Each structure stands twice: as C-alpha cells, then as structure tokens.
Amino acid sequence: MKKLLISDIHANPSALEAVLLASRGEYEAVLCLGDITGYGPDPEACIDLLRSLQKTIKSCVILAGNHDAVLFGAIPLEWFNKQAQSSIKRMRKTLSADSLYWLSSLSSYIDLGERVLAVHGAPEDPVAGYLFGGMETLSALSYMQEQFFDVCFCGHTHSAAVFVRGWKDNTHAPAPGETVYLDNAPVIVNPGSTGFPRTFNGGRTADMPGDSEPISITSYPACFAIWDTETRSVTFREARYDRTSLEARLARLK
C-alpha cells in the first residue's frame, strides 16, 4: 500500500491543494503528522480539506501538532514565541466551534502496527519534542528500540530528514525525488513541511542543479512524501505552487 505523508500544513490551503493535486492517484491512504493550524491565513479551509479526505479515503490518520493542541488547551500559550502566539489568538477567534471540537479529538501519537509509530514531534514527547539529529535524536532512537518500534514518522521541524544511528551525524537530508529504504531499524522519517518548509529538503534555500524550476514566490515548494509499505520505502517529493495570494493574505493579517 502507498500512503501520502504530509505534515505542518499551518493553515496554508494553497500548499495542501498543490500536494493533493501533485499526488493524485499515487496513494491509497493518508498520514497527516499534525500542525494543521498556525501561522497561515486559512485554518478552516485546511481542516475542511482534511475532513473531506477522511470521508473519501478508507485509511486517513490525522494527528494533532503543538499548534493544534494549544487551541484546545493541551499546551499553554506561553510555550510559544510572540509571533506564534499572535496567530494562535487569531485562530481561537476565527475557527468554528465544530473545527475546534474536531481538532480536540485528534491524538499526537499513534501506534500504526507492524512496529511503526507516528507522532507530531518526537517518540518521547509526541506533541512538542524536536528532532534535529543530535543527542535528542539518539535518545529517540534508543527509546524506539526499547519500545520495539522499527520506524517512526514525525514532523514539527519543517525540514525533511531521515535519522538512523550510525550514519554521519545520524542524519540524512533527502532531496526531492529521492527514495530511502527503511532497512536500518530503528529509523525516523520526517517528510518536511507542506505549508511552511524551513529549509527545502536538505538545507536547500536556493536553486540546486537538477531543479526543474527555480524557486520563487510563483514557484514555491510544498513538501510531502509517499510511503510504500510493500517495498518499505519513502520517496520524498515536493509540489510547486504560486504563493502570491497567500503572501497578500498574510500581509493583511499583520
């Protein structure tokens, strides 16, 4: 089975729509790793898109991230920086009661079976833990071994990454189009951010040789991945979209 991996949409429906269009027909299941809300201008539209997927796709697992959890009181507002606090306060005012209730029903941790775990942040801190490839990641890999998990999918950092103990710096930053096989257990996989990638797959902040299009506001990357459970592989992908209208809407919110 092939599963669409998305994470950190952050109220950016333009990016989510671009990913769903680019991956159409390529998957039979969906795994969303959280942070549907936060930062962007339209959380309601993103929630509507995901709830529609739940109705049309038999296996559609959606987790809550820290930006979602704060909206229903699972994390204190003071945990966030001032910029994030501003967007959280705005979303508390604008999100419908139905959407807030739906978000509150989501978990940040799920055992998918077959020794596979999915979290928003980190195995030991599913809501808010960060994994950057340092000692915190080595601890997470040890925890997975102790709990008998071979694979963990996570988001939260906004950067596509694969973590395996013993690799250089324990970290591999995959490029768009690259396929990674999940043979070296335990392994942690982050598909990158759909809505607000902090870096573009492997620290790419400018055009790289082989890019089909230059990165610009009218050709902006939205990260995702396709997990093939039969071949035990993950292929990292990006969809491009025009960010002009999104930036205009964000400017009006400031």
Side-chain angles (χ1 to χ4, degrees):
M1 177 181 287
K2 291 185 178 181
K3 301 188 179 187
L4 174 65
L5 301 177
I6 51 177
S7 189
D8 298 275
I9 299 161
H10 283 303
N12 183 348
S14 300
L16 179 56
E17 287 168 352
V19 165
L20 294 177
L21 180 62
S23 59
R24 182 178 294 172
E26 294 188 47
Y27 60 88
E28 298 85 46
V30 173
L31 175 57
C32 174
L33 297 164
D35 271 2
I36 302 153
T37 64
Y39 298 127
D42 203 342
E44 201 79 51
C46 294
I47 289 170
D48 288 345
L49 282 167
L50 291 175
R51 294 181 78 174
S52 177
L53 284 176
Q54 280 186 319
K55 293 175 182 177
T56 56
I57 300 204
K58 187 174 181 180
S59 175
C60 185
V61 175
I62 301 173
L63 301 182
N66 53 303
H67 281 265
D68 310 317
V70 69
L71 294 173
F72 52 85
I75 294 180
L77 181 65
E78 294 72 26
W79 188 89
F80 296 84
N81 63 38
K82 289 184 178 180
Q83 179 190 4
Q85 286 186 24
S86 177
S87 75
I88 290 162
K89 290 174 182 177
R90 169 168 48 85
M91 292 187 192
R92 280 177 172 171
K93 292 178 181 178
T94 58
L95 274 172
S96 68
D98 184 51
S99 288
L100 286 169
Y101 179 78
W102 178 78
L103 286 172
S104 71
S105 72
L106 304 178
S107 172
S108 297
Y109 174 108
I110 185 170
D111 182 341
L112 295 170
E114 303 294 325
R115 299 170 69 99
V116 178
L117 171 68
V119 299
H120 174 66
E124 297 159 290
D125 185 359
V127 182
Y130 283 99
L131 298 177
F132 291 113
M135 292 303 296
E136 81 293 334
T137 306
L138 289 175
S139 176
L141 291 165
S142 294
Y143 173 85
M144 288 173 61
Q145 274 193 318
E146 292 166 5
Q147 299 299 317
F148 303 104
F149 287 112
D150 290 339
V151 179
C152 177
F153 294 104
C154 70
H156 197 34
T157 67
H158 293 204
S159 300
V162 180
F163 302 111
V164 176
R165 183 169 24 217
W167 286 3
K168 183 180 179 182
D169 300 324
N170 309 304
T171 306
H172 174 63
E178 183 175 349
T179 297
V180 173
Y181 290 88
L182 309 177
D183 298 327
N184 298 302
V187 55
I188 299 172
V189 176
N190 186 328
S193 172
T194 293
F196 286 84
R198 185 168 285 122
T199 57
F200 306 134
N201 290 316
R204 182 163 56 103
T205 55
D207 306 331
M208 290 183 68
D211 282 343
S212 57
E213 292 181 73
I215 295 171
S216 68
I217 195 163
T218 57
S219 180
Y220 205 82
C223 299
F224 67 102
I226 301 293
W227 169 28
D228 189 326
T229 61
E230 293 185 10
T231 62
R232 290 183 55 79
S233 66
V234 175
T235 300
F236 292 82
R237 300 271 301 280
E238 65 178 29
R240 295 293 185 93
Y241 68 103
D242 188 336
R243 198 178 168 95
T244 307
S245 64
L246 176 79
E247 293 294 339
R249 282 181 285 159
L250 284 170
R252 289 195 292 270
L253 293 173
K254 294 178 180 178

